[in-house]
Amino acid sequence: LIFSASITNRATWLIPRRSYLLFIEPIITIILLFTDPYHGLFFGGNRQSGSDVILSGGIWYRVNVFYLYVLIALALLFLIQSYFKSGPLQKRQIGIILGGSCIALITNIMVLQRFNPFPDLDLTLMAFSLTSLVYAYGLFIYGILDIIPVARNLVIETMADGVLVVDSNFRIVDVNYAFIQLLSLQSFEPRGQKISQILPGWEELIKKNNSGQNIKETLQINPEGLQFV
């Protein structure tokens, strides 16, 4: 989850205090694993000798599975959302991370649902090996960690100039903080909206620009005041 938040520009969402809270459940789980013979909260008396697979257990086993899958779901949600909002290069990078993650996730779900051709063997560990190969391919071939939103956050988000990104259908894909300040959009979420909602006349400007000629235009961005770009 922390990795996913970092590469999808959500590092500020996962502030240190929240990050520390994530470790409470794993620490409790480790303690209960070591002390299970005294209370049975994790294995619940269902542990089979000679088997590496735990498919059912006590109350804390179920808490642990639920907790882990919630974190996985959040991490995948971050990645999927970022995938559809990203440009071609970053989309390819996030796609590799998603593909590698799904190998282990789908295998683990199959094991938990007992669709395992080797009942006493946890295939999730083997799936992690395949995931690692996919990540290695992405690292060395596509440099999945070379271009990440950290660069955008440090450069574009701190620029004094307003930056606006629009797709071919005149929808706003992204804006930086300076642009939000420029148009006083603090109470309005521009991403996903038609650009005509905040900058009337912009579509005509783009069409002129596509003609290949040098274009110089002045847009009034605040109808109630004398503010122009």
Side-chain angles (χ1 to χ4, degrees), residues 60-121:
W60 195 260
Y61 167 84
R62 293 188 285 275
V63 169
N64 186 55
V65 169
F66 176 77
Y67 175 78
L68 293 177
Y69 273 97
V70 166
L71 296 191
I72 291 171
L74 277 174
L76 291 177
L77 178 64
F78 289 167
L79 290 168
I80 291 169
Q81 287 180 336
S82 183
Y83 177 85
F84 287 108
K85 291 181 179 179
S86 301
L89 178 59
Q90 194 182 347
K91 185 171 287 190
R92 186 180 302 162
Q93 295 172 334
I94 293 174
I96 291 171
I97 296 171
L98 273 171
S101 302
C102 287
I103 293 173
L105 178 62
I106 292 171
T107 304
N108 184 243
I109 292 173
M110 288 174 59
V111 169
L112 289 176
Q113 295 301 316
R114 302 176 190 258
F115 295 136
N116 187 354
F118 307 100
D120 292 329
L121 184 65

Side-chain angles (χ1 to χ4, degrees), residues 11 84 185 229:
F84 287 108
L185 298 174
V229 292

Side-chain angles (χ1 to χ4, degrees), residues 54 202 227:
I54 306 169
W202 187 275
Q227 196 170 10

Side-chain angles (χ1 to χ4, degrees), residues 7-214:
I7 67 171
T8 57
N9 201 33
R10 288 181 173 85
T12 54
W13 176 83
L14 208 56
I15 57 177
R17 186 169 64 252
R18 286 191 188 137
S19 299
Y20 299 148
L21 290 175
L22 294 175
F23 291 93
I24 295 175
E25 195 276 346
I27 291 172
I28 294 174
T29 298
I30 291 171
I31 293 172
L32 293 181
L33 276 169
F34 277 104
T35 59
D36 189 76
Y38 302 102
H39 49 68
L41 289 174
F42 192 88
F43 293 111
N46 294 319
R47 188 175 190 181
Q48 299 177 6
S49 60
S51 174
D52 294 328
V53 183
I54 306 169
L55 297 175
S56 62
I59 182 64
W60 195 260
Y61 167 84
R62 293 188 285 275
V63 169
N64 186 55
V65 169
F66 176 77
Y67 175 78
L68 293 177
Y69 273 97
V70 166
L71 296 191
I72 291 171
L74 277 174
L76 291 177
L77 178 64
F78 289 167
L79 290 168
I80 291 169
Q81 287 180 336
S82 183
Y83 177 85
F84 287 108
K85 291 181 179 179
S86 301
L89 178 59
Q90 194 182 347
K91 185 171 287 190
R92 186 180 302 162
Q93 295 172 334
I94 293 174
I96 291 171
I97 296 171
L98 273 171
S101 302
C102 287
I103 293 173
L105 178 62
I106 292 171
T107 304
N108 184 243
I109 292 173
M110 288 174 59
V111 169
L112 289 176
Q113 295 301 316
R114 302 176 190 258
F115 295 136
N116 187 354
F118 307 100
D120 292 329
L121 184 65
D122 189 350
L123 296 178
T124 309
L125 304 177
M126 297 181 183
F128 273 124
S129 298
L130 292 175
T131 295
S132 300
L133 289 175
V134 172
Y135 285 176
Y137 175 79
L139 280 169
F140 292 110
I141 304 300
Y142 290 108
I144 59 174
L145 299 181
D146 291 344
I147 301 176
I148 56 177
V150 171
R152 177 207 176 279
N153 193 47
L154 292 175
V155 179
I156 298 180
E157 199 62 32
T158 56
M159 287 175 61
D161 294 316
V163 176
L164 169 71
V165 183
V166 184
D167 68 11
S168 57
N169 294 315
F170 302 112
R171 287 192 303 263
I172 299 171
V173 177
D174 203 3
V175 295
N176 70 346
Y177 179 74
F179 188 87
I180 289 175
Q181 293 289 102
L182 184 68
L183 269 69
S184 301
L185 298 174
Q186 289 85 351
S187 60
F188 176 74
E189 174 52 64
R191 297 170 185 85
Q193 306 297 327
K194 282 282 190 178
I195 193 170
S196 56
Q197 290 188 251
I198 60 172
L199 285 177
W202 187 275
E203 295 185 21
E204 289 73 22
L205 179 63
I206 295 294
K207 290 173 183 176
K208 286 183 183 179
N209 186 63
N210 289 339
S211 66
Q213 302 175 353
N214 290 329

